[in-house]
Amino acid sequence: MKPNVIGEILSIIPQERVLTDLADRYTFSYDASFGEYLPDVVVQPHTTEEISRLVKLANREIIPVYPRGSATSLSGGPLPVKGGMVLDMSRMNQKLEIDTENMLAIVSPGVLTADIHRQAEEAGLFYPPDPSSSHVSTIGGNLLENSSGPKGLKYGTTKEYVIGLEVVTPMGDVIRTGGKTVKNVTGYDLTRLIVGSEGTLGIVTEAILRLIPKPPSRKTLLAAFDRFEDSGYAITRILSSGILPAAMELMDQACIRAVENYQPSGLPVEAEALIIIEVDGHPAAVEEEIRRCEEICRGQGANTVTVARDEKERETIWKARKMVSPAITQMGPTKISEDATVPRSQIPAMMKRLRQIADKYRLNLVVFGHAGDGNLHPNIITDKRNEEEMKRVEDAVTEIFEAAVELGGTLSGEHGIGVLKAPYMEMELGPIGLDMMKKIKEAWDPNQILNPGKIFPEPGQTRVVLRQNES
Amino acid sequence: MSPSRNNPGQTERARKLFELTYEETNQCIQCGYCLPACPTYQSMGRESASPRGRIALVKMAAEGKLDITRDLAEPIDLCLGCRACETACPVGVPYGHILEETKQVLHESVARDPLNPQQPQHKGRERLKKAVLRHLFPYPKRLRIVGRMVYLYQKSGADRLATGVLPKISEPAARFAAALPRLESPSRRYNPGDVLPPVGPKKARVAFFNGCLMDAVMYRINRLTIELLRAVGCEVVIPETQTCCGALHAHQGMKEAAEQLARANIGAFERSESDFYINNAGGCGAMLIEYDQLLGKDPAWRERARDFVSKSRDISQVLDQFGPLPFKKEWNGTITYQDSCHLRHVQKVTEEPRRLLQSVPGATFVEMADSDRCCGSGGIYNLLHYDESMKILDDKMEKAADTCAETIVTTNPGCLLQMKLGVARKGMSQTRVLHLVEVLAEACGLT
Ligand SMILES: Cc1cc2nc3c(=O)[nH]c(=O)nc-3n(C[C@H](O)[C@H](O)[C@H](O)COP(=O)(O)OP(=O)(O)OC[C@H]3O[C@@H](n4cnc5c(N)ncnc54)[C@H](O)[C@@H]3O)c2cc1C
Ligand code: SF4
Ligand code: SF4
């Protein structure tokens, strides 16, 4: 980057929000995935106007621009892989308005998702997307990754709740997409195009989110199965019986044992699978539905079924699920979290493939995830400093993606493509499918300045590389 | 470049940092879960002022990518050491340990390289810090003399100095002098070597840890602590030859000095032959319960340190265990509680102080928003980084004012002074800031 560019940036943004120290820049070189890329400068914009001017400057000087929220991405989304400028969007967090009359939230991109949850709740409303990182991730990051969590099964992912955006385009112009109405068919749906685009098509500077009434009641159960397959049948039986649970979470045996090992809480370590089911809605319906779920689980061979009688018991059940992440990190310093997703009828088949892959490459693999929507989280526990093992991890990851695609699924249910999964895009989309996406990118961003190096594979890139010396 | 134990690009200091911290910094999965918990990240708004950022910087400095003095010193210096990040971390990264080891290396760097031109400001602070830590805190008698001087100075009305002359010398110091609690006559204090009988049947023999700052300028709180202990049936010994806990030293990278103090204290308390070792300052207590980590590599002391830790208690734990307290008076008004970070995040004591306050007859207890968040005091952080600290404090006082409580309670001398200063800054003249022990003693009719 030319030295006079910093001078120009300083004419747009006051000095205290332009970081050029080596230490500061290094702290913007990572996210929650892999790799380390040092940016030339980090800018902390507060207004749309500032961003628009910065992006115009970047186009003139051909400087890569990398928007970044809280950098909790698990796929490398905000990594400045080609250097240049990081836009720290987390400081643009001034606006969080709840419009109760229209049941909307109007938010700045740097607002933390959990703050939206809380303020909506205080107004008797509900913003359903619930990634487990919601107390730290920004709504901007959630939008651009189209994040979701357990509630995705019943309520859908982030994209169902975004109805309008203000966006700075890759050329630096400011546009508004959608609006304040839930119904809107005026032209192409650019809102949906931007949501999930991982910061490659525009910088979101404001979002209008749809809220729904808060369900008045909920009930939760935990069921343990001796045979993994039975849990799969229970899940499909429940869903085909007309019940749509708010959440349906699955843990495999390796996972159960890890949790029990980490914090003994009486989980059945002999069980091959645990499922947690939560239903919500009208109190009478909820009672009836949880009873039906219990019946079905027992009918499908559940060894034990526990229905929470109060909020405290409900929390105990969910705690088992929340413990999974910390528990498995005790098994090794590096955790590779994948989120390959398959049609739900294929869950048992996918589980079998995962076990075979783990055995073949002699890896420590645990599986948990959102069973209701087929969104599994196979996690490989390893040590990134062990080069030989990392090589095997790379092979295993490649096979996991192949298995998911073969079973009619997708590379990523919620964590995004970023850098890590870019090499596999063609495998899922085919050459033409990928090319159509590239054309969109080229039309929007002719100078390739916005988040370059993401989603699309670099020439010759065909597989994931996790080893430090190879990147 | 692959990091390793003998990378030619690494300096000797980087290698030392690598040895001391690399395993631990590598435990961080960079999930960011600690970001919302960190007061300096909230107030300064940049990643280098966050736990995730600091850990990454230590790791990179150990790999030789950053210079320890030029790049690492400032972000590390600006950490409060409140350790809220440890409570928030889902994978248990030992941040406090990383911080102390890093400070150790930094301290050695500055010591060895006194003419390092890069950080003049940093150097000035270092000098002030070291002089105080070396020559004052290890000597309870010298501190007591300071305490007596403060008493005389307040009594003579000379504390108007705090608004007159002192600010010209050091504004932060003057602000804190003005916030100091009024001292009582030194003739009422208990002395090392004293053994005080319980009121009623004896339930336990406990040894009381004086603490330097508490002993020097807040000895009324110490006296009341002892009287409350006696009131719930404890025989109280004040071990002779006890000394500073070493927390300030450890936090400033003077690990050897801290180890020496730890050994002296372990010896002093063993000789008291007590069931529990009681302290009433969150910051000291946190240091005391980590003596086993501090001396973990010393085979001659490891076991003794473990035993010491297993007997150490915060005053609130013992009063909660041996209570109920013999309350005599109705409290009038609302009380709120500000956690001492080191009591909460290191000693993990959160419920006992609240339970005790809720048990005070007549008092209404309200929880303050973000009561688990640091007030910006951070040992001597507020003296070294006055502006950063005041930003955090002013935010805290907003939350305190929202509770409409007439009394703010805390459990650590540093927090107590800081909150008093905060009340003064916000002009909350009718609000009292008290140590937990003062509230309980007042309700028990002890004066
Ligand atoms: C422990 C842990 C648990 C997680 N659990 C879940 C989960 O349950 N479900 C789930 O879906 N994800 C989960 N994630 C992944 C991650 O939290 C989400 O992807 C989240 O949405 C990222 O938000 P962020 O603010 O950290 O964004 P970042 O990681 O900083 O950025 C994400 C992407 O968005 C872009 N971006 C950010 N802000 C803007 C903006 N304003 N305009 C344009 N582009 C922008 C970036 O360039 C990047 O491509 C988890 C991560 C961790 C570490
Ligand atoms: S100790 Fe406190 S100030 Fe320091 S990084 Fe942790 S949370 Fe932040
Ligand atoms: S919460 Fe723990 S693991 Fe996560 S970034 Fe902070 S220190 Fe690292």
Side-chain angles (χ1 to χ4, degrees):
Chain A
M1 210 162 86
K2 288 187 256 164
N4 65 321
V5 173
I6 300 282
E8 275 203 58
I9 293 174
L10 286 171
S11 70
I12 303 172
I13 308 262
Q15 188 158 15
E16 70 268 16
R17 293 192 273 120
V18 180
L19 315 180
T20 51
D21 279 1
L22 189 61
D24 274 321
R25 288 189 287 129
Y26 257 118
T27 56
F28 287 83
S29 68
Y30 51 76
D31 65 2
S33 70
F34 278 84
E36 198 181 282
Y37 305 88
L38 189 63
D40 297 307
V41 59
V42 178
V43 182
Q44 303 183 299
H46 281 175
T47 66
T48 309
E49 161 75 17
E50 286 173 350
I51 296 172
S52 158
R53 291 178 63 193
L54 287 168
V55 174
K56 284 185 176 148
L57 171 68
N59 270 285
R60 202 188 72 212
E61 299 288 333
I62 311 295
I63 300 166
V65 174
Y66 290 95
R68 178 189 191 265
S70 296
T72 64
S73 171
L74 292 169
S75 52
L79 294 178
V81 291
K82 302 196 173 196
M85 184 194 311
V86 167
L87 285 187
D88 177 7
M89 301 299 291
S90 68
R91 297 295 109 199
M92 196 165 166
N93 59 1
Q94 289 74 11
K95 193 182 224 177
L96 168 44
E97 287 170 15
I98 306 287
D99 172 352
T100 35
E101 209 164 299
N102 293 307
M103 300 218 287
L104 300 174
I106 302 168
V107 298
S108 302
V111 167
L112 300 184
T113 308
D115 289 334
I116 303 175
H117 285 151
R118 202 180 36 245
Q119 294 223 6
E121 195 133 326
E122 277 167 16
L125 295 169
F126 180 37
Y127 176 68
D130 59 341
S132 43
S133 55
S134 52
H135 65 291
V136 46
S137 58
T138 64
I139 188 68
N142 282 192
L143 252 62
L144 275 295
E145 297 283 6
N146 189 18
S147 301
S148 56
K151 298 215 173 83
L153 171 62
K154 177 168 180 177
Y155 295 102
T157 59
T158 299
K159 68 169 183 265
E160 309 329 319
Y161 297 88
V162 188
I163 59 171
L165 294 174
E166 181 187 75
V167 180
V168 175
T169 69
M171 299 297 285
D173 303 308
V174 181
I175 58 167
R176 282 205 162 263
T177 73
K180 290 193 174 184
T181 57
V182 173
K183 294 189 175 177
N184 179 329
V185 292
T186 313
Y188 291 150
D189 189 347
L190 296 182
T191 310
R192 289 245 176 165
L193 180 62
I194 301 280
V195 174
S197 66
E198 304 190 19
T200 60
L201 295 180
I203 298 161
V204 171
T205 49
E206 187 171 291
I208 305 173
L209 307 173
R210 184 165 72 87
L211 305 174
I212 60 174
K214 197 174 133 198
S217 175
R218 61 188 174 195
K219 278 257 165 192
T220 309
L221 73 70
L222 177 83
F225 292 84
D226 290 341
R227 295 191 329 146
F228 191 88
E229 277 155 85
D230 294 341
S231 69
Y233 294 131
I235 290 164
T236 28
R237 279 291 300 276
I238 289 170
L239 290 167
S240 58
S241 74
I243 299 173
L244 186 53
M248 252 182 159
E249 296 293 293
L250 171 82
M251 289 161 65
D252 76 349
Q253 190 174 55
C255 215
I256 302 168
R257 291 189 173 169
V259 171
E260 202 47 29
N261 215 0
Y262 176 63
Q263 219 177 64
S265 47
L267 296 182
V269 289
E270 294 308 320
E272 278 188 2
L274 275 187
I275 55 178
I276 297 173
I277 300 173
E278 185 161 291
V279 294
D280 67 2
H282 187 275
V286 162
E287 283 301 333
E288 166 62 16
E289 287 181 0
I290 201 78
R291 205 186 45 73
R292 287 276 297 135
C293 290
E294 182 180 357
E295 250 172 46
I296 295 172
C297 286
R298 288 195 197 283
Q300 295 299 324
N303 187 330
T304 52
V305 183
T306 321
V307 180
R309 278 164 301 184
D310 51 32
E311 188 55 29
K312 204 163 147 239
E313 288 188 7
R314 175 180 173 271
E315 269 169 26
T316 314
I317 290 181
W318 277 109
K319 193 160 164 239
R321 173 67 178 81
K322 294 215 170 85
M323 280 296 139
V324 171
S325 248
I328 59 183
T329 40
Q330 304 297 310
M331 298 159 64
T334 308
K335 184 175 85 165
I336 315 282
S337 319
E338 289 305 339
D339 72 328
T341 302
V342 293
R344 70 170 81 96
S345 61
Q346 298 284 17
I347 289 178
M350 184 66 182
M351 286 300 293
K352 207 152 149 202
R353 293 286 291 271
L354 289 171
R355 284 266 69 85
Q356 286 165 353
I357 294 169
D359 291 344
K360 176 171 167 194
Y361 294 102
R362 292 169 286 126
L363 292 170
N364 213 341
L365 180 119
V366 307
V367 186
F368 57 95
H370 318 306
D373 45 26
N375 184 191
L376 297 176
H377 290 301
N379 273 252
I380 300 172
I381 319 298
T382 173
D383 185 340
K384 62 176 172 239
R385 290 164 292 179
N386 182 340
E387 296 266 320
E388 184 273 327
E389 183 163 306
M390 288 311 280
K391 173 83 184 51
R392 281 185 275 129
V393 173
E394 289 167 8
D395 294 339
V397 167
T398 305
E399 271 194 44
I400 292 174
F401 293 145
E402 281 164 6
V405 173
E406 274 168 38
L407 293 170
T410 174
L411 299 175
S412 177
E414 54 188 28
H415 296 168
I417 300 302
V419 193
L420 287 181
K421 292 173 206 145
Y424 305 95
M425 285 288 275
E426 192 170 324
M427 181 169 96
E428 181 173 335
L429 300 170
I432 314 254
L434 184 59
D435 199 46
M436 292 309 284
M437 287 195 186
K438 259 195 196 140
K439 282 183 177 150
I440 296 178
K441 169 72 178 168
E442 279 158 12
W444 280 62
D445 185 10
N447 295 323
Q448 296 287 334
I449 60 126
L450 199 55
N451 212 356
K454 306 298 164 63
I455 300 188
F456 302 105
E458 298 286 299
Q461 204 187 20
T462 54
R463 64 199 307 284
V464 66
V465 177
L466 302 168
R467 284 160 296 161
Q468 296 173 339
N469 288 355
E470 306 272 316
S471 55
Chain B
M1 183 176 74
S2 167
S4 75
R5 268 161 231 275
N6 38 28
N7 179 336
Q10 279 172 314
T11 62
E12 189 196 324
R13 289 179 305 161
R15 253 193 296 279
K16 169 111 196 248
L17 192 63
F18 190 102
E19 296 290 342
L20 289 173
T21 59
Y22 206 60
E23 275 303 312
E24 292 172 344
T25 51
N26 264 289
Q27 286 173 29
C28 173
I29 56 169
Q30 303 185 327
C31 65
Y33 276 31
C34 51
L35 298 182
C38 175
T40 57
Y41 178 66
Q42 294 300 309
S43 70
M44 296 178 211
R46 52 176 73 179
E47 180 91 13
S48 61
S50 78
R52 180 174 67 177
R54 290 180 175 123
I55 293 166
L57 291 174
V58 171
K59 187 165 104 192
M60 290 162 184
E63 289 170 353
K65 292 173 182 156
L66 293 171
D67 182 78
I68 292 183
T69 326
R70 190 193 57 215
D71 304 313
L72 189 60
E74 174 143 332
I76 291 296
D77 245 21
L78 285 172
C79 168
L80 288 156
C82 72
R83 295 170 69 175
C85 46
E86 279 184 41
T87 303
C89 178
V91 303
V93 174
Y95 178 81
H97 202 238
I98 295 173
L99 181 68
E100 269 173 27
E101 302 287 14
T102 306
K103 289 206 161 171
Q104 166 90 10
V105 175
L106 271 172
H107 169 66
E108 286 166 13
S109 312
V110 179
R112 194 162 333 132
D113 191 8
L115 294 177
N116 186 328
Q118 274 146 346
Q119 292 269 335
Q121 213 187 357
H122 182 68
K123 235 177 41 196
R125 278 190 212 128
E126 283 294 308
R127 228 180 285 128
L128 166 82
K129 210 152 75 180
K130 304 263 136 93
V132 173
L133 293 182
R134 241 188 223 117
H135 303 300
L136 205 51
F137 280 91
Y139 303 101
K141 286 217 184 84
R142 290 188 198 166
L143 273 170
R144 284 193 157 206
I145 293 170
V146 174
R148 191 154 300 153
M149 278 161 55
V150 173
Y151 170 69
L152 291 173
Y153 147 89
Q154 286 184 344
K155 216 176 152 223
S156 69
D159 53 347
R160 262 165 286 139
L161 269 183
T163 51
V165 179
L166 208 45
K168 299 205 177 65
I169 305 167
S170 159
E171 186 173 317
R175 297 273 163 79
F176 285 102
L180 273 180
R182 301 214 64 87
L183 295 188
E184 64 181 12
S185 163
S187 64
R188 294 192 69 185
R189 78 196 320 189
Y190 294 119
N191 290 304
D194 287 354
V195 179
L196 294 319
V199 177
K202 172 170 146 186
K203 293 183 191 156
R205 178 176 162 97
V206 305
F208 180 64
F209 180 80
N210 270 328
C212 351
L213 193 54
M214 285 303 245
D215 188 46
V217 294
M218 299 189 192
Y219 45 75
R220 178 168 175 270
I221 296 173
N222 276 358
R223 182 175 58 76
L224 295 173
T225 303
I226 292 169
E227 283 166 17
L228 286 171
L229 282 168
R230 296 172 64 193
V232 295
C234 295
E235 176 181 49
V236 186
V237 195
I238 310 175
E240 281 179 296
T241 72
Q242 60 170 300
T243 180
C244 171
C245 65
L248 292 172
H249 303 78
H251 300 159
Q252 302 305 335
M254 301 164 76
K255 196 168 167 207
E256 263 168 46
E259 286 173 2
Q260 268 175 24
L261 295 169
R263 292 194 187 95
N265 277 327
I266 293 173
F269 279 78
E270 282 172 348
R271 284 191 290 281
S272 76
E273 299 182 340
S274 311
D275 305 317
F276 299 112
Y277 308 156
I278 316 298
N279 71 82
N280 61 6
C284 302
M287 185 68 207
L288 299 175
I289 67 153
E290 291 193 332
Y291 274 5
D292 55 345
Q293 285 180 34
L294 186 68
L295 299 173
K297 293 198 185 98
D298 182 345
W301 285 86
R302 195 183 305 138
E303 270 315 305
R304 293 172 71 180
R306 246 182 238 155
D307 181 64
F308 181 93
V309 167
S310 72
K311 289 183 174 146
S312 290
R313 296 283 186 284
D314 180 69
I315 177 70
S316 63
Q317 294 175 288
V318 193
L319 295 180
D320 187 56
Q321 181 183 348
F322 292 123
L325 285 159
F327 291 118
K328 299 223 162 55
K329 290 209 311 220
E330 284 279 309
W331 191 272
N332 191 359
T334 306
I335 300 180
T336 193
Y337 176 68
Q338 161 65 30
D339 282 290
S340 140
C341 295
H342 285 170
L343 187 61
R344 182 181 188 97
H345 299 297
V346 184
Q347 301 184 68
K348 312 281 182 206
V349 175
T350 55
E351 291 311 314
E352 291 87 341
R354 290 179 167 79
R355 232 179 353 249
L356 288 166
L357 287 171
Q358 281 158 355
S359 73
V360 172
T364 314
F365 180 81
V366 269
E367 190 68 45
M368 179 191 334
D370 295 336
S371 54
D372 58 348
R373 185 167 292 228
C374 186
C375 62
S377 139
I380 50 175
Y381 185 93
N382 44 15
L383 286 174
L384 300 174
H385 306 283
Y386 186 69
D387 295 338
E388 289 85 354
S389 164
M390 289 307 116
K391 236 170 119 179
I392 296 169
L393 176 61
D394 291 343
D395 190 47
K396 171 66 61 188
M397 296 325 293
E398 294 287 323
K399 307 273 163 57
D402 287 347
T403 64
C404 300
E406 296 90 359
T407 310
I408 303 172
V409 175
T410 173
T411 50
N412 185 51
C415 314
L416 199 68
L417 275 181
Q418 176 89 342
M419 296 301 284
K420 277 181 194 273
L421 184 62
V423 163
R425 281 169 72 86
K426 198 155 167 64
M428 297 158 69
S429 51
Q430 66 297 32
T431 310
R432 293 205 294 169
V433 181
L434 297 175
H435 191 286
L436 171 69
V437 159
E438 293 179 283
V439 173
L440 299 175
E442 194 173 318
C444 291
L446 301 167
T447 53

